[in-house]
Amino acid sequence: MTRPAFAQGAERTGRLFYDILFEIEPDLRALFPDDRSDMTRKFVATFAVIIDSAKDTDTLRRVVVSLARRHVGYAVEPRHYEVVGRAFLETLRRLGASRAQLAAWSNVYDVISAHMVSTAYSDLDM
């Protein structure tokens, strides 16, 4: 899997992602600090790590498990993963991703988010 075109413009991409996320689900704004500059860098860096680890399933699993557990501490709920996925794909769409790229990233996001939810919220009856 290759890095999406947004990797070259991390700050712009991160801002766009969060703008779209809060447009879709304004209530999520309360979960984030007012200054989102650190979050924008983390957003793109996280996907870069996921891409770089795609062929190393042990590393990828560790990254995803760690990410999932941290998000519980940020008050993220399982239902938020669907909203984030929509915002992520819309970000890619607005940045010019092709239909094939969007479909591929949709599949990747679905697998990763399902694993994150099952890891972080395994004690919940879903």
Side-chain angles (χ1 to χ4, degrees):
M1 176 153 298
T2 60
R3 290 182 190 216
F6 69 69
Q8 287 89 32
E11 187 174 331
R12 173 180 171 250
T13 300
R15 279 195 316 263
L16 179 60
F17 167 77
Y18 286 109
D19 288 347
I20 292 168
L21 179 65
F22 302 146
E23 180 181 303
I24 293 171
E25 188 67 48
D27 293 342
L28 290 181
R29 182 67 187 94
L31 298 179
F32 295 89
D34 289 336
D35 180 2
R36 291 182 280 160
S37 56
D38 190 43
M39 296 303 301
T40 61
R41 286 187 296 276
K42 287 180 181 179
F43 168 79
V44 175
T46 297
F47 282 97
V49 168
I50 288 170
I51 292 165
D52 291 345
S53 304
K55 292 185 180 180
D56 181 353
T57 56
D58 290 335
T59 299
L60 182 58
R61 186 174 295 113
R62 283 192 303 274
V63 167
V64 169
V65 166
S66 174
L67 189 63
R69 290 182 177 148
R70 283 195 316 269
H71 277 77
V72 171
Y74 302 147
V76 172
E77 300 173 15
R79 66 183 178 87
H80 294 147
Y81 285 84
E82 187 271 331
V83 176
V84 168
R86 285 187 5 224
F88 174 63
L89 292 173
E90 178 60 16
T91 301
L92 294 178
R93 188 192 69 73
R94 290 188 192 179
L95 292 173
S98 69
R99 285 184 185 197
Q101 289 169 325
L102 290 171
W105 274 105
S106 179
N107 290 335
V108 169
Y109 184 82
D110 288 348
V111 169
I112 288 174
S113 64
H115 186 67
M116 288 177 70
V117 168
S118 68
T119 296
Y121 306 97
S122 60
D123 58 333
L124 296 179
D125 184 21
M126 312 231 344

